[in-house]
Structures are given as structure tokens and as C-alpha cells.
Amino acid sequence: MTAIRTAPRPEDWVRLTPQGLYVEPADIHIDPLRGVPRAVITHGHADHARAGHGAVLATAETLAIMDARYGTAHTSVRQPVAYGEVVDINGVRLYLLPAGHILGSAQVVLEWRGQRIVVSGDYKRRRDPTCSPFVVQPCDVFVTEATFGLPVFRHPPDQAEIGRLLHSVRLFPERCHVVGVYALGKCQRVIALLREAGYDQAIYLHGALTSLCDLYRRLGIALGELHPVAGISKEALRGAIVLAPPSAVADRWSRRLPDPVVAVASGWMRIKQRAKQQGVELPLVISDHADWDELTRTIDEVAASEIWVTHGQEEALVHYASRRGIRARALALVGYEDVDPE
Amino acid sequence: MSAAFELAAARETEAGSMDRFARLLDDLLFSPSRLTKLRLMKEYFAEAPDPDRGYALAALTGGLDFRFAKPATIRQLVESRIDAALFAWSYDYVGDLAETAALIWPGTAVANAPAPRLSAIVAALDGATRADVARLLAMWFDQLEPTGRWALIKLITGGLRVGVSARLAKTALAEMGGIDVAEVEELWHGLTPPYTDLFAWLEGRGPKPTVDHAGIFRPIMLAHALDEAELATMAPGDFRAEWKWDGIRVQLVARHGRRRIYSRTGDEISGSFPDVVQALDFDAVLDGELLVRRGDDVAPFNDLQQRLNRKLVNDKMLEAYPAFVRLYDILFEGEEDLRMLPFDERRARLESFYARHIAGTNLAARFDVSPMIPFSDWDMLREIRAGADVRASEGVMLKRADSPYVAGRPKGLWFKWKRVAATIDAVLMYAQRGHGKRSSFYSDFTFGCWREAPDGGRELVPVGKAYFGFTDAELAQLDRWVRAHTTERFGPVRAVEPRLVCELAFDGVQRSTRHKSGLALRFPRIHRIRWDKPAKEADRIETLAAMIPD
Ligand SMILES: [Zn+2]
Ligand SMILES: [Zn+2]
């Protein structure tokens, strides 16, 4: 008989503190909700990446995004790591793997005393031309999001949604199509998908979207011809596609556009009521988060014996995992936006 | 990426498939403007093949009365495939059964199982038993995309609301064929789904469809409710006045030996009124009010109720409740179409027709001509109206002397000036068992009016409860109706299909924070049961809100 190694209980070394998920032997927080001495950041969305940490470990892309958003003074020590590059922090082996959510997004893999915990951050499983695809890493504990953790959320293929947008552009050539997109990730992905679908016209941008598009291009993502919408005549925008933050599309801002068809690209657009309430004429179900099938498939593939659900619609996912004999619990993390940047 | 996703992406949506029709419905649901809706429909009709587009047209114009499944059928079907707890959370989150079921149904449409065509669905459902329906639905759900499933569920549960009127769909057809929508309306009641000959004509591939004009219903002309403030802008000399009789509006069609009585919606009701049918011994199309006679007077509406909804009428009924028609207008005399003549000329033609064919014959027991009310100014007419027999008339009609007979509810031509403002047409929503001697009947009724739903369609909101105003015989009828149309039960209360309209009389409207509608009727009672009135024509909540005193 081999010696019995007493594996730690996961909650003995990774636990919740008021600042967020804390890895005690490494003395680091992952995506902390407020300033901490040492933070590991999964990706650049504002509810995960906050300013004011003493030191930040993240992918180079995530650090560049944080610098672009907060200015370089948001931290004093940046530690960029490549996907798969192992860092040892006081006996904890830590490395990042692609999460497929947005450019630079990462899962945090933690290994300590023979146990492996993977904190996925936000993720999706489908292909995205603007970022590296999710890597399945089998583990003992998988910490997952559940933004779309109900079986009604099953995103259609994004090419089909882009097809609907282009179909509408053809059907209403005298109108302008304004698409509400989150500034980081969704915006660039929609542009890249349009380019893949063969749309080679100039795409017009609301002022709030230009700097992150520039950053993506500097980081090597091709987006084709983009122009700020400011200063373009109403006539010239007939038949054009304009991207704007979701808050601007149903707002006074879009009145400057010629008879706009209001579209929004978001996983929430799956629910008709929700789309109707926002005054959306063309709901495009394009999401940067895993849908129900992707969440459950990932739980199956990582083969963890325990699942922790960070934020979103936790109860259904916990129920699903429990029914499969997996220990599951909701961390009930507060502070991540109820409606995640989508 | 899973294989299912790639296959689904690769699959082209066939123009005749249920998925393509569902996409049209989905697009229509989200389109705020009339012009957009027209363009979407025209695109669909141009793209989709026969006979699928014809069934789509029938669905849009309310001519496909599917109602093959109750919401409970859908729920059972879904729960046979999905964990009940997951379904409950999802339903709770989405709030709409059709949408929840459509989204949650497991499995993604796959390329090797092509989506069913709309026409195939219609054909399969025709004559299907309840058991067949559940099996068919499961099969189609597997083949359709979520939007296709959603539209199918809405269709078969009778809940299709995408903000398109039958008129708008016909307008799209007219634009497609470069003709006036009146031409489509004219043919409409003589055509049946899938309208292949109509499309052939609109596309210039076939002749104008010949319909059997002899017996068809002609769309009727309706009035707007008068806003009394408008009287100031209306010259009394431009209008004619007559009573608005308290019966049911009918169209009498007697051509080439065919005899038919149609309700205002074009439903044939000849079977309930053989006494009137027998007297249609002439060649004309007439517009009038069906009433029951009691001695020399018009009987209360109640008496007419006894005759409605009876498939078989016995001699005793015919004798106790003799029906007759009070004529308002003439649309055709022989082959001659009179509808484009001004009202004054049609009226002269009606009187002359009556004198030549009816007066002095034994037909006169079944028809008379609604008298005109002479008046010189609005105040005089207001007085006449106030003094009218409460039981027989609802008020007066004002018709422009030069108005042609136009289908639908054209603006500015006809007005109804109702005598009592304090009645409203509301839809029965819930029924509760009564107390005491009525405890075996559902006798406490909750009624609702329409308002815009958050999804842009419309929904009923309760406006009040009525416990009386009906006879014992009517109570028994209502009780039967409630039992036959129950959708859900909660203890002593039953929710019913939103189909039965009642005219409620009441003493006033008040604001109320207790009611979801924000208002409450004072002392509501059932004035009469409108078995004949489609629920969609019941009043809107705004009508009541306007009656709240400042
Ligand atoms: Zn995110
Ligand atoms: Zn998030």
C-alpha cells in the first residue's frame, strides 16, 4: 500500500473574503472587487479588472487593456505572463490558460499539494476570431461563471446572427443599422465576424468604441476600415453599419442617424421580452459567455469532483452538477455586475 | 465547437419552411413601423413558395384557427424531456410558456432532418387526434430551430400576436400586385387558403380569381365612436341620423337563389334564423340589425340571445321569439353594385326597393326600414337621443350624407353616438363559484380589458367583478361555457379562455391601487352577453381611463 497523502480540502486554501476569491498560501486574490496587495486578473472587463491593486499578474493583453482604460498608474507592479507559463508563488503553481471570452482572457490554474483548482473567469467555448479558444484543463475543483446558467440560453451560431444583420441591411438599404455592442470584446468580435462574412464596407464607430478598437489592432487583430461616426453626414450613413455602446442605441444619440434599425448584440437578446423592453428592432444573439450547453459540457469535460459557481444564474447549474453526482455550490459572489458585460 | 452547431449554421433556411415563416413572425414582432412590416411581408410572400405562403397568409389574417393544443399539452411535452426543476426556473425567468418551451427543448436542429414545411404542418394537423398532436409536436420540435418552435406553439395554442392586422397583411398583398387593397378585400371572403389563385393573379401569372359572388359576404362598414367635442366642427346639414338598434348587425345576401345571413365578422348565422332566411325572397345584398319582435315592439336583447347560438331552432322558439331585420342600407340590387353611391342615394334606393319588393307582401313581417331621425341642429338631436327607449336603442348613428359604403372603419364618415357612456365591452377572464343557492354555478365573474403588453402584443387586465345582470337561463349558459373553456383552476376559481365578451354597465370608474389595471368599475353588472362579438374587439383600458373624473 502506498502512503496516504492527505490532500487538502479545497476550502482550506482557496476561500472567499470580502475582497473576493483568495488563495491563501500564495496570498493572492483573483479578480478582487477592491484594491488588494496582489491580484491575478482573468480579463479586462471592468467588473473583473479594477484599478488600485499593488501588483497585478495577468496576460500582456489584459494588462494593456487595463492600462488603456485606467491609465498606467492603476498599479505599480505588472507581471505579464504568457498562456501556459508557470509561476511559483510560495509553493503554489500558477499558470494561465485561454478562456475564449475576449482578447487576453484567461483561466487561472492553481496547483497546491497535489490538488488542482481552475478558476475560469468568464469564458465561452465557441470560436472567436479575436481571441484564443478555451482550453479544457481537467481539475479537482472547477470554478465557473453562470451568466447564462439556465437551459433556455442556447446561443445560435454567430454566423447565422451576422447573416440576419446583413440580410436586414440588404432589405432596408435606405436605413442605417446601429448595433449596440459592449466596448470591450463584443465590439471587435462583431466587426471581425462581419469581415469574415465578406462585409468590406467601412464600419462606423461611436466615440466610446474607438480607443479599444485601436488597441485590438495594435495587438494584432485585423478589423478592416473603421471610421468615427462623428462628422459623417446623415445621408452618408444610409445603408451603413454603425456600432455604439448599448446605452447609446436606444437613446437620443441615435436620432442623428437616418431612420436607424436598432440592433443589439448580446446573449440577453434571446429573451424576446427583454429585447422588446429595450426597444430593439433587430435582436442579435451573440454572446461572449458560455451558454447552457457550453457550461454543462465544460463541467463534464473538466471532470472535476467539485464545482463552485461564481456569478450569474447559479441555482440551475448547481442543480445540474448535483444531479450528476458532482459536489456543487454557489459562491454567491456579489459585486460582479448582475448583467455581466455582454 | 460541437458538431451540432456547425451543422445548424450550414443549414440554409428553406423559403417554404416553418423556420422561415417563424423568422417573419419574429421580425414582425420586433418591427415598430408599419412600413417595415409591409416590406417584411412582401419579401416573405415573394420568396416563399405555394402553398406555404398561402397558409402563412391565412395565419396572419386569422384564418387558420389551429388551437390544437392547450398550454398544458405543451408543458407536459416539455416535462417529458426536461428536468422539472430546470423547467420551473426557466419558466419563471422567461415568463412566457411558448418561449420557454421553444428555447429549452433539447437538441439543436440538424441538417439531416430538414425543417418541416408550413404546408406539411397544416396538412398533418388537419384531422389529427390529441394523441397525434403530441407525437407530431415532439417530432417537429426536434426538427425546428427555437424560433420555429416558438411560432409553432403560438400558432397551435391560438396565441399568435405579432402586431399585424388582417388589413395590413392584405395591404402587403395589394402592394405586391400593384393593385388597390379594396380589390383584395372584395375577393377575400370568396377565397380560401392556400390562396394559390390569388398569388398567381398578383404575380401576373394568372387571371383574377373568380369567386362565387352570389353568396359571398361583403366586408361591412363600421362607425367610429363620436367624440362630442368634434360636433363643433361638423355641420349638421352634412349628416343624417338614425337609431342604433340594440340587436346584432347583419348582412343579408340573397342572390341567384342563394340566401345567407352573415354576422358583422362574416360568420354565417343562417342556421339560427330560418324564419328570416325563408323571407329572403329577392335579389339584393342588404345591411341591417337583426332583432326579435315582441308584439309591436322590439324585444329586449335577451330575447335575441335565446335565438343565437342555437343550431336547431324549434317551432316554439320561432313563435316565442320571432326574428326580423331592420334595414339600414343596400349594397347590391340585382347585379348593380350600389356601394359607391352617396348615402342619400343609397337610402332612396333602399326605400324604393322596400316599396317594390317587400311592403304589402308577407315578407313585411320580417323586414322594415330603420327610420331616419329628422333634426336641425346637434342640441335637438341630443334631446331626441336622451329621450329614446332605453331598451331598444343604444343611441344614434350619424352618417355623412355623401358617404359611400366603404369596408372597414373609414375615418370621418360614420359615427356612433351612444346613449349611455357607462357601458364597456369586456372579456371574461375568471369565474368563481357563487354562494348559497348559486353555489353549484360559476356565478362570480371577473372581466378584463385590453392593454399593450410588455411584448408589444396585448394582454387583458382585470377591471371588475360582476355577479348579476343575467337571467337564470343565462347563468346556466355562462356556467356551461366556463366549464367548457377552462384553462386553469385555482381552488374555487377557474381561468377561462379569453373569448367571451360581455357588455358591462357600471356607475363610474375610479382609480384603484388594489387593481393591476389601476382602476376599478363602480357597481359593474352584466348588461348583456355578447356571444357574437370577437374578444379582440372588446374595449381597451384607455377607454375606461378616459372616464375617470379629474
Ligand atoms: Zn467578462
Ligand atoms: Zn463576468
Side-chain angles (χ1 to χ4, degrees):
Chain A
M1 211 159 150
T2 56
I4 297 167
R5 191 180 46 169
T6 41
R9 289 185 309 166
E11 53 269 37
D12 289 343
W13 62 288
V14 177
R15 61 188 167 86
L16 215 51
T17 70
Q19 285 78 27
L21 209 55
Y22 180 59
V23 186
E24 192 163 335
D27 189 26
I28 51 162
H29 280 86
I30 298 173
D31 290 352
L33 300 160
R34 51 190 90 134
V36 297
R38 300 202 298 162
V40 176
I41 302 297
T42 59
H43 66 288
H45 279 148
D47 52 334
H48 294 257
R50 293 170 199 256
H53 305 308
V56 173
L57 183 151
T59 61
E61 291 87 349
T62 297
L63 285 167
I65 290 165
M66 291 176 78
D67 289 351
R69 297 193 124 181
Y70 302 127
T72 48
H74 70 88
T75 183
S76 41
V77 183
R78 2 179 111 57
Q79 183 175 359
V81 292
Y83 290 129
E85 180 187 337
V86 177
V87 183
D88 190 298
I89 310 176
N90 196 27
V92 177
R93 265 169 59 90
L94 182 153
Y95 51 98
L96 304 180
L97 291 175
H101 177 54
I102 60 168
L103 181 61
S105 67
Q107 312 172 66
V108 183
V109 184
L110 304 157
E111 294 170 4
W112 190 63
R113 298 191 179 168
Q115 191 165 67
R116 181 186 293 152
I117 297 181
V118 174
V119 180
S120 66
D122 291 342
Y123 67 98
K124 70 173 175 287
R125 300 297 304 273
R126 52 193 77 205
R127 199 187 74 86
D128 178 341
T130 66
C131 65
S132 310
F134 183 94
V135 170
V136 173
Q137 176 69 313
C139 54
D140 299 297
V141 178
F142 185 63
V143 184
T144 181
E145 61 142 323
T147 303
F148 292 113
L150 279 174
V152 285
F153 290 109
R154 300 157 89 224
H155 311 321
D158 32 0
Q159 306 95 306
E161 297 300 285
I162 291 296
R164 291 177 54 235
L165 171 60
L166 292 174
H167 175 255
S168 182
V169 169
R170 281 194 299 276
L171 190 60
F172 300 103
E174 76 289 1
R175 301 177 70 184
C176 167
H177 282 68
V178 57
V179 186
V181 288
Y182 191 70
L184 172 59
K186 188 65 60 63
C187 169
Q188 297 77 24
R189 177 166 167 224
V190 166
I191 295 171
L193 288 170
L194 279 165
R195 297 309 182 207
E196 284 191 345
Y199 185 79
D200 54 7
Q201 311 281 302
I203 293 172
Y204 296 88
L205 301 178
H206 181 283
L209 305 181
T210 48
S211 67
L212 283 166
C213 286
D214 290 344
L215 177 65
Y216 262 60
R217 291 211 266 216
R218 282 203 301 278
L219 294 171
I221 308 293
L223 298 174
E225 190 185 346
L226 306 176
H227 291 301
V229 73
I232 306 287
S233 78
K234 216 168 171 169
E235 270 318 298
L237 291 171
R238 290 190 187 283
I241 295 176
V242 176
L243 302 190
S247 57
V249 295
D251 179 70
R252 289 223 328 260
W253 179 84
S254 65
R255 287 193 210 155
R256 70 180 66 190
L257 305 173
D259 191 15
V261 174
V262 173
V264 166
S266 158
W268 301 112
M269 291 297 108
R270 188 87 262 198
I271 309 296
K272 293 185 196 301
Q273 194 107 318
R274 207 151 172 161
K276 273 292 247 193
Q277 269 164 2
Q278 292 180 35
V280 175
E281 184 170 348
L282 184 65
L284 301 172
V285 188
I286 300 177
S287 171
D288 283 331
H289 290 270
D291 68 5
W292 175 258
D293 290 340
E294 295 169 69
L295 289 171
T296 54
R297 176 178 145 219
T298 306
I299 287 179
D300 292 346
E301 288 178 1
V302 297
S305 54
E306 190 161 340
I307 299 291
W308 296 353
V309 185
T310 52
H311 61 302
Q313 314 279 336
E314 302 100 340
E315 55 193 356
L317 202 59
V318 167
H319 174 84
Y320 170 87
S322 307
R323 293 289 296 262
R324 301 179 80 82
I326 302 168
R327 236 182 105 193
R329 65 187 176 105
L331 294 182
L333 270 183
V334 285
Y336 294 108
E337 282 167 40
D338 174 36
V339 176
D340 222 273
E342 234 303 278
Chain B
M1 190 70 352
S2 76
F5 284 125
E6 279 162 14
L7 288 170
R11 190 176 78 165
E12 277 286 307
T13 305
E14 295 284 341
S17 73
M18 181 67 204
D19 279 330
R20 174 65 182 90
F21 178 51
R23 206 173 77 210
L24 170 70
L25 295 176
D26 194 49
D27 288 346
L28 289 171
L29 176 71
F30 285 104
S31 306
S33 91
R34 185 175 174 277
L35 282 177
T36 306
K37 289 178 188 188
L38 281 173
R39 198 170 317 168
L40 290 166
M41 284 190 280
K42 278 190 284 181
E43 189 208 25
Y44 174 81
F45 290 135
E47 225 177 67
D50 289 323
D52 307 278
R53 59 179 173 176
Y55 291 114
L57 175 60
L60 287 169
T61 53
L64 266 196
D65 197 7
F66 268 161
R67 269 179 230 281
F68 280 98
K70 298 214 179 292
T73 317
I74 305 299
R75 191 194 283 254
Q76 269 171 20
L77 193 55
V78 172
E79 284 179 345
S80 73
R81 300 265 183 123
I82 288 284
D83 179 296
L86 292 178
F87 177 65
W89 279 314
S90 298
Y91 187 18
D92 193 49
Y93 183 87
V94 177
D96 177 274
L97 178 66
E99 197 175 347
T100 310
L103 292 174
I104 207 171
W105 188 260
T108 311
V110 284
N112 57 7
R117 286 178 64 158
L118 177 55
S119 53
I121 289 175
V122 172
L125 284 177
D126 188 28
T129 64
R130 290 230 171 255
D132 291 339
V133 169
R135 186 182 48 76
L136 288 167
L137 285 180
M139 180 183 81
W140 290 327
F141 284 1
D142 284 340
Q143 296 165 350
L144 288 166
E145 290 166 11
T147 303
R149 293 196 282 264
W150 164 78
L152 179 60
I153 297 170
K154 289 289 186 189
L155 268 182
I156 59 166
T157 53
L160 185 65
R161 283 189 295 270
V162 292
V164 170
S165 63
R167 176 78 175 182
L168 196 62
K170 292 171 197 167
T171 305
L173 292 180
E175 289 188 3
M176 186 181 165
I179 56 165
D180 193 285
V181 66
E183 280 198 75
V184 179
E185 291 279 15
E186 179 72 33
L187 289 169
W188 191 253
H189 286 274
L191 301 173
T192 49
Y195 308 108
T196 319
D197 48 352
L198 175 65
F199 281 109
W201 173 54
L202 294 172
E203 291 174 339
R205 291 182 290 102
K208 183 167 177 172
T210 48
V211 299
D212 178 9
H213 280 284
I216 71 164
F217 171 74
R218 310 295 175 145
I220 75 161
M221 177 161 177
L222 298 166
H224 284 272
L226 178 71
D227 173 359
E228 290 203 29
E230 280 177 52
L231 284 176
T233 66
M234 294 161 63
D238 289 347
F239 287 87
R240 304 290 174 255
E242 61 185 313
W243 296 111
K244 179 169 171 18
W245 300 101
D246 196 7
I248 59 170
R249 181 92 178 272
V250 289
Q251 183 173 104
L252 307 173
V253 180
R255 318 258 331 247
H256 309 309
R258 280 172 214 265
R259 298 170 180 191
R260 302 218 172 125
I261 306 174
Y262 291 104
S263 74
R264 47 183 282 191
T265 47
D267 295 318
E268 201 186 335
I269 54 171
S270 314
S272 303
F273 299 95
D275 41 356
V276 177
V277 171
Q278 193 179 31
L280 292 173
D281 192 12
F282 42 73
D283 198 342
V285 177
L286 305 172
D287 182 332
E289 194 86 9
L290 185 65
L291 299 162
V292 163
R293 203 183 286 287
R294 189 184 277 179
D296 287 338
D297 283 343
V298 172
F301 191 80
N302 236 345
D303 283 15
L304 182 54
Q305 294 285 7
Q306 307 303 321
R307 293 285 305 270
L308 281 166
N309 283 348
R310 297 224 177 208
K311 295 227 167 68
L312 284 175
V313 198
N314 57 34
D315 290 350
K316 222 172 101 194
M317 295 285 299
L318 292 174
E319 208 168 300
Y321 307 109
F324 75 104
V325 176
R326 189 151 279 175
L327 301 171
Y328 291 136
D329 216 320
I330 183 164
L331 280 58
F332 282 81
E333 182 174 350
E335 292 300 312
E336 193 185 356
D337 187 349
L338 307 177
R339 290 174 295 172
M340 285 303 112
L341 296 179
F343 176 80
D344 275 355
E345 282 185 44
R346 290 201 311 281
R347 176 74 194 188
R349 293 288 298 260
L350 176 65
E351 288 174 10
S352 137
F353 174 82
Y354 189 86
R356 280 179 285 121
H357 294 282
I358 300 176
T361 74
N362 55 1
L363 304 186
R366 299 293 169 198
F367 308 102
D368 61 16
V369 176
S370 179
M372 303 303 290
I373 307 169
F375 70 101
S376 51
D377 57 55
W378 297 129
D379 283 342
M380 180 179 168
L381 188 58
R382 187 177 276 122
E383 265 177 47
I384 297 172
R385 169 175 146 270
D389 178 353
V390 173
R391 284 169 308 144
S393 91
E394 299 178 83
V396 297
M397 297 289 301
L398 298 177
K399 298 178 175 177
R400 271 197 74 98
D402 58 2
S403 57
Y405 192 97
V406 188
R409 209 184 293 274
K411 286 214 170 70
L413 298 181
W414 288 8
F415 299 93
K416 55 186 174 209
W417 195 4
K418 281 205 179 183
R419 191 176 40 75
V420 221
T423 65
I424 194 152
D425 287 331
V427 181
L428 181 60
M429 297 176 71
Y430 306 99
Q432 184 172 357
R433 275 177 197 283
H435 300 284
K437 74 179 175 110
R438 302 209 299 195
S439 63
S440 58
F441 289 104
Y442 284 91
S443 60
D444 299 4
F445 303 105
T446 301
F447 290 92
C449 287
W450 296 108
R451 74 168 176 198
E452 172 151 347
D455 70 358
R458 56 185 181 168
E459 63 182 9
L460 286 169
V461 272
V463 295
K465 271 191 168 188
Y467 318 97
F468 48 86
F470 35 79
T471 64
D472 286 351
E474 284 177 318
L475 175 58
Q477 280 180 298
L478 284 169
D479 182 74
R480 262 200 310 280
W481 192 93
V482 166
R483 289 169 196 275
H485 295 84
T486 299
T487 54
E488 266 182 286
R489 293 185 200 195
F490 332 87
V493 179
R494 288 178 179 225
V496 297
E497 289 175 42
R499 295 176 73 170
L500 182 62
V501 178
C502 285
E503 189 177 328
L504 303 183
F506 53 90
D507 289 354
V509 190
Q510 299 168 306
R511 282 186 206 291
S512 159
T513 47
R514 280 193 309 123
H515 291 84
K516 196 173 157 198
S517 59
L519 49 80
L521 299 182
R522 285 179 51 212
F523 198 51
R525 59 267 184 194
I526 295 181
H527 189 50
R528 55 184 194 167
I529 310 164
R530 295 296 306 265
W531 301 104
D532 60 311
K533 188 154 189 154
K536 63 177 185 198
E537 286 185 33
D539 281 296
R540 296 182 59 88
I541 201 83
E542 291 88 323
T543 313
L544 276 179
M547 294 184 199
I548 298 175
D550 293 320

